[in-house]
Amino acid sequence: MAVVTSFTTYTGKQSEFRELVMKKLAGYARVDQLGFQLVEDVQSNKIMYKDNYLDKITKKFTTCQNTETGTGISVSSFTLSVANMQAQLEQCAAVFDSTIAEIVRKKGADINDLTGTEIEAYVLERVAEAAARDLFRIMFLGDTTLSNSDYTAFDGVFKKVKAGYLAGDGTVYGGTIAAADINTSNIVNTLDSKLYEVQPYELKFIEDSQKVLLVTDNIYKAWVKYLSSTAYGIVEQRNALVNGLTGVTYRGIPMVSLGVLDKYLATDFATGSPAAISTPYRAILTKADNHYLATDTLTASSQVQMWYDQTDDKNYTRLRYKAGYNYAFGELNVFAGF
């Protein structure tokens, strides 16, 4: 939860509005950081076309014969569908009373109108940041069949990848992952046997540096612990981690932590008493540009709007856009742990 827990108390005109204290929940990646493809200007659905894998189409030529040497290209499709997304909040100006923010408030009859003030810029920045984190959360954990409306906008990565495997689209499932599977003694064998060694040929022979291993943060931290351990870690890699260098890889494949998703899995998907998540350790080995986020206008120029309503004397903030997710080829996906 990203909330303002306190403001620096106003102590005179020498104070600045930017001295306020904000509590931020970081730990999410943008689409471009993940390497996913962003498809814009999708209003409802967009049909994406893909071809087949051509192989063994060349044969020895025999003079005076015109013989087919293989089956031609076939084209199939997958759909990028988008859902309507909205973030809308109301803001009472009174929460800024007796704080440093008073110095940037309007005067007289317009004192509760925050538009055009530095407070507006602050609010819009915070809303945009929270909305970006929400999109990241839904993009991975979205499931339209859930009862929790925080996740029902569209089906996300975990739901789609598992559904593709169940439908036999070429996606490979490597098995479950338990806590013991990622301790320093077992984590290499786990990643090898459940992900690396079960890759379909279409994924296996792509250069490892062009792939990505998306993992929940608990797996990422376990791998870092393994690499930095004196018993198991490679000296050069261990020294790099101790010195704070970035770029964690597994067999040459960039490993990307899904960060704050661990929190949402633990708090929103836990069941039983005491509540616990049954599948907290999750991993997907894939080619990042096999995955698509569709939107209508989610660009750097998109803006959050704020307006003031004189009737109820409140400020409103609204962000609306459309978003959806899908991937192209199941043969480029291996997953484990969920």
Side-chain angles (χ1 to χ4, degrees):
M1 180 173 60
V3 298
V4 178
T5 55
S6 63
F7 283 97
T8 303
T9 303
Y10 176 52
T11 58
K13 290 186 178 180
Q14 75 277 9
S15 298
E16 296 180 358
F17 176 70
R18 290 298 178 182
E19 291 179 12
L20 56 81
V21 180
M22 295 185 296
K23 182 177 181 180
K24 296 185 178 182
L25 179 60
Y28 65 94
R30 300 192 311 266
V31 177
D32 56 348
Q33 292 174 324
L34 292 170
F36 287 14
Q37 297 199 53
L38 181 63
V39 180
E40 300 179 77
D41 200 25
V42 181
Q43 297 297 323
S44 56
N45 299 294
K46 183 173 183 178
I47 306 299
M48 305 287 288
Y49 295 96
K50 57 183 180 179
D51 60 18
N52 58 322
Y53 184 79
L54 288 180
D55 194 24
K56 297 181 179 177
I57 63 171
T58 305
K59 305 288 190 296
K60 179 181 178 180
F61 173 68
T62 303
T63 304
C64 298
Q65 288 190 8
N66 186 17
T67 305
E68 294 180 357
T69 62
T71 302
I73 293 174
S74 62
V75 177
S76 57
S77 65
F78 65 99
T79 303
L80 290 178
S81 301
V82 291
N84 293 314
M85 311 290 287
Q86 173 175 284
Q88 180 164 314
L89 309 173
E90 66 175 41
Q91 180 69 61
C92 179
V95 299
F96 298 102
D97 290 346
S98 302
T99 71
I100 190 172
E102 281 191 340
I103 62 176
V104 296
R105 293 272 294 276
K106 294 181 179 180
K107 310 300 180 184
D110 293 330
I111 190 171
N112 288 331
D113 183 358
L114 299 178
T115 60
T117 68
E118 200 171 347
I119 298 176
E120 176 189 28
Y122 155 72
V123 171
L124 296 183
E125 178 184 352
R126 300 296 286 117
V127 170
E129 179 187 34
R133 186 173 60 251
D134 281 343
L135 179 59
F136 175 78
R137 171 179 54 80
I138 298 170
M139 184 172 65
F140 278 92
L141 299 175
D143 185 341
T144 57
T145 65
L146 297 176
S147 58
N148 186 342
S149 61
D150 289 332
Y151 296 94
T152 55
F154 58 87
D155 289 333
V157 177
F158 292 153
K159 173 74 177 291
K160 288 268 192 179
V161 168
K162 187 169 185 177
Y165 160 71
L166 294 174
D169 74 350
T171 297
V172 172
Y173 173 55
T176 60
I177 299 178
D181 295 328
I182 60 171
N183 62 32
T184 51
S185 300
N186 298 327
I187 191 167
V188 172
N189 180 66
T190 296
L191 295 179
D192 282 351
S193 64
K194 296 180 182 290
L195 294 161
Y196 194 79
E197 294 172 356
V198 296
Q199 294 177 83
Y201 287 120
E202 293 84 354
L203 181 61
K204 179 180 293 185
F205 296 111
I206 293 175
E207 184 68 31
D208 283 340
S209 62
Q210 297 180 23
K211 306 170 190 175
V212 64
L213 180 56
L214 305 171
V215 297
T216 46
D217 194 62
N218 42 34
I219 295 178
Y220 182 86
K221 292 296 195 300
W223 182 243
V224 169
K225 182 178 180 180
Y226 167 83
L227 293 177
S228 58
S229 66
T230 56
Y232 299 95
I234 300 171
V235 174
E236 291 80 4
Q237 179 73 69
R238 184 170 66 249
N239 290 339
L241 290 169
V242 170
N243 292 329
L245 301 180
T246 58
V248 175
T249 63
Y250 155 73
R251 300 204 180 281
I253 301 171
M255 179 182 284
V256 177
S257 168
L258 296 177
V260 75
L261 288 192
D262 280 31
K263 168 188 180 292
Y264 295 122
L265 284 168
T267 57
D268 297 339
F269 292 85
T271 58
S273 181
I277 171 68
S278 60
T279 56
Y281 310 103
R282 303 185 179 196
I284 300 175
L285 176 58
T286 186
K287 196 168 184 291
D289 61 6
N290 186 44
H291 301 262
Y292 296 78
L293 177 67
T295 180
D296 59 340
T297 177
L298 193 63
T299 64
S301 60
S302 297
Q303 295 182 349
V304 189
Q305 297 176 322
M306 175 182 276
W307 72 95
Y308 171 68
D309 191 321
Q310 289 183 326
T311 302
D312 55 15
D313 204 23
K314 290 184 179 180
N315 299 271
Y316 291 89
T317 307
R318 176 186 293 161
L319 170 64
R320 282 180 179 169
Y321 62 94
K322 296 182 179 183
Y325 160 81
N326 210 343
Y327 63 84
F329 299 98
E331 296 88 349
L332 299 184
N333 295 329
V334 178
F335 75 101
F338 62 96

Coordinates of all heavy atoms in Angstrom, one line a residue, residues 99-155:
T99 N -0.1 21.3 7.8 CA 1.2 20.7 7.3 C 1.9 21.7 6.4 O 1.4 22.8 6.1 CB 0.8 19.5 6.4 OG1 0.3 19.9 5.2 CG2 -0.1 18.5 7.1
I100 N 3.1 21.3 6.0 CA 3.9 22.1 5.1 C 3.1 22.5 3.8 O 3.4 23.5 3.1 CB 5.2 21.4 4.8 CG1 6.1 22.4 4.1 CG2 5.0 20.2 4.0 CD1 7.5 21.8 3.9
A101 N 2.1 21.6 3.4 CA 1.4 21.8 2.2 C 0.6 23.1 2.2 O 0.1 23.6 1.1 CB 0.6 20.6 1.9
E102 N 0.3 23.6 3.4 CA -0.6 24.8 3.4 C 0.0 26.0 2.6 O -0.8 26.8 2.1 CB -0.7 25.3 4.9 CG -1.7 24.4 5.7 CD -2.0 25.1 7.0 OE1 -1.2 25.9 7.5 OE2 -3.1 24.7 7.6
I103 N 1.3 26.1 2.5 CA 1.9 27.2 1.8 C 1.6 27.2 0.3 O 1.8 28.3 -0.3 CB 3.4 27.3 2.1 CG1 4.1 26.0 1.5 CG2 3.7 27.4 3.5 CD1 5.6 26.1 1.6
V104 N 1.2 26.1 -0.2 CA 0.9 26.1 -1.7 C -0.6 26.0 -1.9 O -1.0 25.8 -3.1 CB 1.6 24.9 -2.4 CG1 3.1 25.1 -2.2 CG2 1.2 23.6 -1.8
R105 N -1.4 26.1 -0.9 CA -2.9 26.0 -1.1 C -3.4 27.3 -1.7 O -2.8 28.4 -1.5 CB -3.6 25.8 0.2 CG -3.3 24.4 0.8 CD -4.3 23.4 0.4 NE -5.7 23.7 0.8 CZ -6.2 23.4 2.0 NH1 -5.4 22.7 2.9 NH2 -7.4 23.7 2.3
K106 N -4.5 27.3 -2.4 CA -5.2 28.5 -2.9 C -5.8 29.2 -1.7 O -5.9 28.7 -0.6 CB -6.2 28.1 -3.9 CG -5.6 27.6 -5.2 CD -6.7 27.2 -6.2 CE -6.0 26.7 -7.5 NZ -7.0 26.4 -8.5
K107 N -6.3 30.4 -1.9 CA -6.8 31.2 -0.9 C -8.3 31.4 -1.1 O -8.9 31.2 -2.1 CB -6.1 32.6 -0.8 CG -4.6 32.6 -0.8 CD -4.1 31.8 0.4 CE -2.5 31.8 0.3 NZ -2.0 31.0 1.4
G108 N -9.0 31.9 0.0 CA -10.4 32.3 -0.1 C -11.3 31.2 -0.4 O -11.2 30.1 0.0
A109 N -12.2 31.5 -1.4 CA -13.3 30.5 -1.8 C -12.7 29.3 -2.5 O -13.3 28.3 -2.5 CB -14.3 31.2 -2.7
D110 N -11.5 29.4 -3.0 CA -10.9 28.3 -3.8 C -9.9 27.5 -2.9 O -9.1 26.8 -3.5 CB -10.2 28.9 -5.0 CG -11.1 29.5 -6.0 OD1 -12.3 29.0 -6.1 OD2 -10.8 30.4 -6.7
I111 N -9.9 27.7 -1.6 CA -8.9 27.1 -0.8 C -8.9 25.6 -0.9 O -7.8 25.0 -0.7 CB -9.1 27.6 0.7 CG1 -7.8 27.1 1.5 CG2 -10.3 27.0 1.3 CD1 -7.8 27.7 2.9
N112 N -10.0 24.9 -1.2 CA -10.1 23.5 -1.3 C -9.8 23.0 -2.7 O -9.8 21.7 -2.9 CB -11.4 23.0 -0.8 CG -11.5 23.1 0.7 OD1 -10.5 23.0 1.5 ND2 -12.8 23.3 1.2
D113 N -9.6 23.9 -3.6 CA -9.3 23.5 -5.0 C -7.8 23.3 -5.1 O -7.0 24.2 -5.1 CB -9.8 24.6 -6.0 CG -9.6 24.2 -7.4 OD1 -9.1 23.1 -7.7 OD2 -9.9 25.0 -8.3
L114 N -7.4 22.0 -5.3 CA -6.0 21.7 -5.4 C -5.4 21.7 -6.8 O -4.2 21.6 -6.9 CB -5.8 20.3 -4.8 CG -6.2 20.1 -3.3 CD1 -6.0 18.6 -2.9 CD2 -5.4 21.0 -2.4
T115 N -6.3 21.9 -7.8 CA -5.8 21.9 -9.2 C -4.9 23.2 -9.4 O -5.2 24.2 -8.8 CB -6.9 21.9 -10.2 OG1 -7.8 23.1 -10.0 CG2 -7.8 20.7 -10.0
G116 N -3.9 23.0 -10.2 CA -3.0 24.1 -10.4 C -2.0 24.4 -9.3 O -1.2 25.3 -9.5
T117 N -2.0 23.6 -8.3 CA -1.1 23.8 -7.2 C 0.0 22.7 -7.2 O -0.1 21.7 -7.9 CB -1.8 23.7 -5.8 OG1 -2.2 22.4 -5.6 CG2 -3.0 24.7 -5.8
E118 N 1.0 22.8 -6.4 CA 2.1 21.8 -6.3 C 1.5 20.5 -5.7 O 2.0 19.5 -5.9 CB 3.2 22.4 -5.5 CG 4.5 21.6 -5.7 CD 5.7 22.3 -5.1 OE1 5.6 23.4 -4.7 OE2 6.8 21.6 -5.0
I119 N 0.5 20.7 -4.9 CA -0.2 19.5 -4.3 C -0.7 18.6 -5.5 O -0.6 17.4 -5.4 CB -1.3 19.8 -3.4 CG1 -0.7 20.6 -2.2 CG2 -2.0 18.6 -2.8 CD1 -1.7 21.1 -1.2
E120 N -1.3 19.2 -6.5 CA -1.8 18.4 -7.6 C -0.7 17.6 -8.3 O -0.9 16.4 -8.6 CB -2.4 19.4 -8.7 CG -2.9 18.6 -9.9 CD -3.4 19.6 -11.0 OE1 -2.8 20.7 -11.1 OE2 -4.2 19.2 -11.8
A121 N 0.4 18.3 -8.5 CA 1.5 17.5 -9.1 C 2.0 16.4 -8.3 O 2.3 15.3 -8.8 CB 2.7 18.5 -9.4
Y122 N 2.0 16.6 -7.0 CA 2.4 15.5 -6.1 C 1.4 14.3 -6.1 O 1.7 13.2 -6.2 CB 2.5 16.0 -4.6 CG 2.2 15.0 -3.6 CD1 3.2 14.0 -3.3 CD2 1.1 15.0 -2.8 CE1 3.0 13.1 -2.3 CE2 0.9 14.0 -1.8 CZ 1.8 13.1 -1.6 OH 1.6 12.1 -0.6
V123 N 0.1 14.7 -6.1 CA -1.0 13.6 -6.1 C -0.9 12.8 -7.4 O -1.0 11.6 -7.4 CB -2.4 14.3 -5.9 CG1 -3.5 13.2 -6.1 CG2 -2.5 14.8 -4.5
L124 N -0.8 13.5 -8.5 CA -0.8 12.9 -9.8 C 0.4 12.0 -9.9 O 0.3 10.9 -10.5 CB -0.8 13.9 -10.9 CG -2.0 14.8 -11.0 CD1 -1.9 15.7 -12.2 CD2 -3.3 14.0 -11.1
E125 N 1.5 12.4 -9.4 CA 2.7 11.5 -9.4 C 2.5 10.3 -8.6 O 2.9 9.2 -9.1 CB 3.9 12.3 -8.9 CG 5.2 11.5 -8.8 CD 6.4 12.3 -8.2 OE1 6.2 13.5 -7.9 OE2 7.4 11.7 -7.9
R126 N 1.9 10.4 -7.5 CA 1.7 9.2 -6.6 C 0.7 8.3 -7.2 O 0.9 7.0 -7.2 CB 1.2 9.7 -5.2 CG 2.2 10.6 -4.5 CD 3.5 9.9 -4.2 NE 3.3 8.9 -3.1 CZ 3.5 7.6 -3.2 NH1 3.8 7.1 -4.3 NH2 3.3 6.9 -2.1
V127 N -0.4 8.8 -7.8 CA -1.4 8.0 -8.4 C -0.8 7.2 -9.6 O -1.1 6.0 -9.8 CB -2.6 8.8 -8.9 CG1 -3.6 8.0 -9.7 CG2 -3.3 9.3 -7.6
A128 N 0.0 7.9 -10.5 CA 0.6 7.3 -11.6 C 1.5 6.2 -11.2 O 1.5 5.1 -11.8 CB 1.3 8.3 -12.4
E129 N 2.3 6.4 -10.2 CA 3.2 5.3 -9.7 C 2.4 4.1 -9.2 O 2.7 3.0 -9.5 CB 4.1 5.9 -8.6 CG 5.0 4.8 -8.0 CD 5.7 5.3 -6.8 OE1 5.1 6.1 -6.0 OE2 6.9 5.0 -6.6
A130 N 1.3 4.4 -8.4 CA 0.5 3.2 -7.9 C -0.2 2.5 -9.1 O -0.3 1.3 -9.0 CB -0.5 3.8 -6.9
A131 N -0.6 3.2 -10.1 CA -1.3 2.6 -11.2 C -0.3 1.7 -12.0 O -0.7 0.7 -12.5 CB -1.9 3.7 -12.1
A132 N 0.9 2.2 -12.1 CA 1.9 1.4 -12.8 C 2.2 0.1 -12.1 O 2.3 -1.0 -12.7 CB 3.2 2.2 -13.0
R133 N 2.3 0.2 -10.8 CA 2.5 -1.0 -9.9 C 1.3 -2.0 -10.1 O 1.4 -3.2 -10.1 CB 2.7 -0.7 -8.5 CG 3.1 -1.9 -7.6 CD 3.5 -1.4 -6.2 NE 2.5 -0.7 -5.5 CZ 2.5 0.6 -5.3 NH1 3.5 1.3 -5.7 NH2 1.5 1.2 -4.6
D134 N 0.1 -1.4 -10.1 CA -1.1 -2.2 -10.2 C -1.1 -2.9 -11.6 O -1.5 -4.1 -11.6 CB -2.4 -1.3 -10.2 CG -2.8 -0.9 -8.8 OD1 -2.3 -1.6 -7.8 OD2 -3.5 0.1 -8.6
L135 N -0.7 -2.3 -12.6 CA -0.7 -2.9 -13.9 C 0.3 -4.1 -13.9 O 0.0 -5.2 -14.5 CB -0.3 -1.9 -15.0 CG -0.2 -2.5 -16.4 CD1 -1.5 -3.1 -16.9 CD2 0.3 -1.4 -17.4
F136 N 1.5 -3.9 -13.3 CA 2.4 -5.0 -13.2 C 1.8 -6.2 -12.4 O 2.0 -7.3 -12.8 CB 3.7 -4.4 -12.5 CG 4.7 -5.5 -12.2 CD1 5.6 -6.0 -13.1 CD2 4.8 -6.0 -10.9 CE1 6.5 -6.9 -12.8 CE2 5.8 -6.9 -10.6 CZ 6.6 -7.4 -11.6
R137 N 1.1 -5.9 -11.3 CA 0.5 -6.9 -10.5 C -0.5 -7.7 -11.3 O -0.6 -8.9 -11.3 CB -0.1 -6.2 -9.2 CG -1.0 -7.1 -8.4 CD -1.5 -6.4 -7.2 NE -2.2 -5.1 -7.5 CZ -3.5 -5.1 -7.9 NH1 -4.1 -6.2 -8.1 NH2 -4.0 -3.9 -8.2
I138 N -1.4 -6.9 -12.0 CA -2.5 -7.6 -12.7 C -1.9 -8.3 -13.9 O -2.4 -9.4 -14.3 CB -3.5 -6.6 -13.1 CG1 -4.2 -5.9 -11.9 CG2 -4.6 -7.2 -14.0 CD1 -5.0 -4.7 -12.2
M139 N -0.9 -7.8 -14.5 CA -0.3 -8.4 -15.7 C 0.2 -9.8 -15.4 O 0.1 -10.7 -16.2 CB 0.8 -7.6 -16.3 CG 1.4 -8.1 -17.6 SD 2.5 -7.0 -18.4 CE 3.8 -6.9 -17.1
F140 N 0.6 -10.1 -14.2 CA 1.1 -11.4 -13.8 C 0.1 -12.2 -13.1 O 0.0 -13.4 -13.3 CB 2.4 -11.3 -13.0 CG 3.6 -11.1 -13.8 CD1 4.1 -9.8 -14.1 CD2 4.3 -12.2 -14.3 CE1 5.2 -9.6 -14.9 CE2 5.4 -12.0 -15.1 CZ 5.9 -10.7 -15.4
L141 N -0.7 -11.6 -12.2 CA -1.6 -12.4 -11.3 C -3.1 -12.3 -11.7 O -3.9 -12.9 -11.1 CB -1.5 -11.8 -9.9 CG -0.1 -12.0 -9.3 CD1 0.0 -11.3 -7.9 CD2 0.3 -13.4 -9.2
G142 N -3.4 -11.6 -12.8 CA -4.8 -11.4 -13.2 C -5.5 -12.7 -13.5 O -4.9 -13.6 -14.1
D143 N -6.7 -12.8 -13.1 CA -7.5 -14.0 -13.3 C -9.0 -13.6 -13.3 O -9.5 -13.3 -12.2 CB -7.2 -15.1 -12.3 CG -8.0 -16.4 -12.5 OD1 -8.9 -16.4 -13.3 OD2 -7.5 -17.4 -11.9
T144 N -9.7 -13.6 -14.4 CA -11.0 -13.1 -14.5 C -12.0 -14.0 -13.7 O -13.2 -13.6 -13.5 CB -11.5 -13.0 -15.9 OG1 -11.4 -14.3 -16.6 CG2 -10.6 -12.0 -16.7
T145 N -11.6 -15.2 -13.2 CA -12.5 -16.1 -12.5 C -12.5 -15.9 -11.0 O -13.3 -16.5 -10.3 CB -12.2 -17.5 -12.8 OG1 -10.9 -17.9 -12.3 CG2 -12.2 -17.8 -14.3
L146 N -11.6 -15.0 -10.5 CA -11.5 -14.8 -9.1 C -12.6 -14.0 -8.5 O -13.3 -13.2 -9.3 CB -10.1 -14.1 -8.8 CG -8.9 -14.9 -9.1 CD1 -7.6 -14.1 -8.8 CD2 -8.8 -16.2 -8.4
S147 N -12.8 -14.0 -7.2 CA -13.8 -13.2 -6.6 C -13.2 -11.8 -6.1 O -13.9 -10.9 -5.9 CB -14.4 -13.9 -5.4 OG -13.3 -14.2 -4.4
N148 N -11.9 -11.8 -6.1 CA -11.2 -10.5 -5.7 C -11.1 -9.6 -6.9 O -10.4 -9.8 -7.8 CB -9.8 -10.9 -5.2 CG -9.1 -9.7 -4.6 OD1 -9.4 -8.5 -4.9 ND2 -8.0 -9.9 -3.8
S149 N -11.8 -8.5 -6.8 CA -11.9 -7.5 -8.0 C -10.5 -6.9 -8.3 O -10.4 -6.2 -9.3 CB -13.0 -6.5 -7.7 OG -12.7 -5.7 -6.6
D150 N -9.6 -7.0 -7.4 CA -8.3 -6.4 -7.6 C -7.5 -7.2 -8.8 O -6.5 -6.7 -9.3 CB -7.4 -6.5 -6.4 CG -7.8 -5.5 -5.3 OD1 -8.4 -4.5 -5.7 OD2 -7.6 -5.8 -4.1
Y151 N -8.1 -8.3 -9.2 CA -7.3 -9.1 -10.1 C -8.2 -9.6 -11.3 O -7.7 -10.4 -12.2 CB -6.8 -10.4 -9.4 CG -5.8 -10.1 -8.4 CD1 -6.1 -9.9 -7.1 CD2 -4.4 -9.9 -8.7 CE1 -5.2 -9.6 -6.1 CE2 -3.5 -9.5 -7.8 CZ -3.9 -9.4 -6.5 OH -2.9 -9.0 -5.5
T152 N -9.4 -9.1 -11.4 CA -10.3 -9.7 -12.4 C -10.4 -8.9 -13.7 O -11.3 -9.2 -14.6 CB -11.8 -9.8 -11.8 OG1 -12.2 -8.5 -11.3 CG2 -11.8 -10.8 -10.7
A153 N -9.5 -7.9 -14.0 CA -9.6 -7.1 -15.2 C -9.3 -8.0 -16.4 O -10.1 -8.0 -17.4 CB -8.6 -6.0 -15.1
F154 N -8.3 -8.8 -16.4 CA -7.9 -9.7 -17.5 C -7.0 -10.8 -17.0 O -6.4 -10.7 -15.9 CB -7.3 -8.9 -18.6 CG -6.0 -8.2 -18.3 CD1 -4.7 -8.8 -18.3 CD2 -6.0 -6.8 -17.9 CE1 -3.6 -8.1 -18.0 CE2 -4.9 -6.1 -17.6 CZ -3.6 -6.8 -17.6
D155 N -6.9 -11.9 -17.7 CA -6.1 -13.0 -17.4 C -4.6 -12.6 -17.6 O -4.2 -12.1 -18.7 CB -6.4 -14.2 -18.2 CG -7.7 -14.8 -17.8 OD1 -8.1 -14.6 -16.6 OD2 -8.4 -15.5 -18.6

